[in-house]
Amino acid sequence: MKRLILSMAAMIIVAAMQAKTLVACYSYTNNVERIVTALRSQTAVDVIKIEPAEKGLDYAANNYALGTQLLNAIRSNPNDASSYPATDPVKVNMNEYDMIVIATPLWWSQMAAPFQTFLFHYGPQMAGKNIGVIVSSASSGISGVVADAKRLIPGGNFVEPNLWIRSSQTSDAASMISSWLEDIHYNDLTTGISSMTTENGFGITASHGFLSASGEFGTLSLYNLSGNKVVDATECPVSTSALVPGIYIAEASNGNRSVKLKISIGGR
Ligand SMILES: Cc1cc2nc3c(=O)[nH]c(=O)nc-3n(C[C@H](O)[C@H](O)[C@H](O)COP(=O)(O)O)c2cc1C
């Protein structure tokens, strides 16, 4: 019975430490919106939707004149914030996420302009994170959108393959997403348990970005290889994402007893 309770506790800790995924999306005519709804039904993710600040614009009128104008402004001066159309403010803390899925329409073989605004501001904060790319287009290939994503998220760890869903395939989004999640090994990317130990009634588990201890430990500490204590916590999980990548020794202790675990941080 005791063993059962302990293993259930370990499962809860593992679940609590699952890496979090953010889906950031923009949709003008709702195809991407429907794709994201299908994605949400298959995996637990947080979603933010980008909205242009100016409402009711018709990007498609006059042979997509406004869409073209917005994209040309970005293309002629991509490093200037004023080239990007204003969008409503979003509240997001990128530190909470290990994986970001971006979902955007294609406009003239490029990334839709309002979504570029979002990435212009938040892309640099996505450095080091896994980035999945989903693009909806009527028929054009998506390489230009992927190039925009790589320009705007310069430090992103782009996972392959990208997912291209044509407008006519939107109703098949659920099955295409399910195959794509397998293709990118989504579960491996987001479970991320890198090492764990149980001894003396304590357990320590290190996952990508988090360190946790189980049992009646008093302190959970982390030492770098110079012996300096860099984490001293009494509650967990502890985020390790801000630490310098390298090898560390984690120690859970209650004074009399302790358990140690050598862990690697940032070595994904
Ligand atoms: C301004 C604009 C330009 C577009 N340019 C293209 C294009 O060059 N090639 C293409 O295949 N589809 C193009 N499309 C169609 C969209 O990529 C497609 O309808 C997509 O599914 C829209 O996603 P959404 O419904 O989430 O906005 C364009 C749409 C707009 C509004």
Side-chain angles (χ1 to χ4, degrees), residues 222-230 244-250 261-265:
L222 195 59
Y223 300 86
N224 62 23
L225 287 185
S226 308
N228 299 322
K229 196 186 276 192
V230 293
V244 177
I247 304 295
Y248 291 81
I249 306 295
L261 174 68
K262 189 170 153 190
I263 64 169
S264 167
I265 289 177

Side-chain angles (χ1 to χ4, degrees), residues 27-32 59 64 67 105-109 136-140 167:
S27 187
Y28 174 49
T29 51
N30 282 340
N31 290 331
V32 170
Y59 299 109
Y64 304 102
L106 169 149
W107 285 6
W108 290 123
S109 299
S136 171
S137 79
S139 59
S140 301
S167 336

Side-chain angles (χ1 to χ4, degrees), residues 40-198:
R40 278 182 119 153
S41 70
Q42 298 183 35
T43 179
V45 291
D46 291 346
V47 176
I48 49 170
K49 293 178 186 171
I50 309 311
E51 294 289 349
E54 207 174 336
K55 311 297 175 201
L57 295 177
D58 187 347
Y59 299 109
N62 304 323
N63 195 24
Y64 304 102
L66 180 55
T68 310
Q69 185 190 321
L70 295 177
L71 290 167
N72 286 345
I74 294 173
R75 200 158 34 184
S76 57
N77 215 344
N79 297 324
D80 185 345
S82 68
S83 306
Y84 294 79
T87 51
D88 287 346
V90 289
K91 251 182 111 179
V92 61
N93 178 1
M94 289 297 168
N95 291 333
E96 289 180 24
Y97 302 99
D98 290 72
M99 170 133 196
I100 322 274
V101 175
I102 56 172
T104 175
L106 169 149
W107 285 6
W108 290 123
S109 299
Q110 296 155 70
M111 181 182 287
F115 198 67
Q116 292 204 41
T117 304
F118 167 70
L119 290 186
F120 181 79
H121 294 291
Y122 286 91
Q125 296 176 30
M126 300 179 189
K129 298 180 191 298
N130 291 320
I131 311 291
V133 178
I134 301 178
V135 182
S136 171
S137 79
S139 59
S140 301
I142 67 169
S143 59
V145 180
V146 175
D148 285 331
K150 291 187 173 168
R151 169 175 56 84
L152 292 161
I153 314 175
N157 174 29
F158 284 82
V159 298
E160 302 284 346
N162 307 301
L163 178 58
W164 172 22
I165 302 183
R166 292 177 186 80
S167 336
S168 59
Q169 296 172 307
T170 309
S171 53
D172 297 330
S175 66
M176 292 178 79
I177 284 168
S178 152
S179 310
W180 179 67
L181 292 174
E182 279 181 27
D183 292 346
I184 63 170
H185 304 287
Y186 181 78
N187 284 341
D188 295 344
L189 288 174
T190 53
T191 302
I193 299 299
S194 52
S195 51
M196 62 191 298
T197 184
T198 46

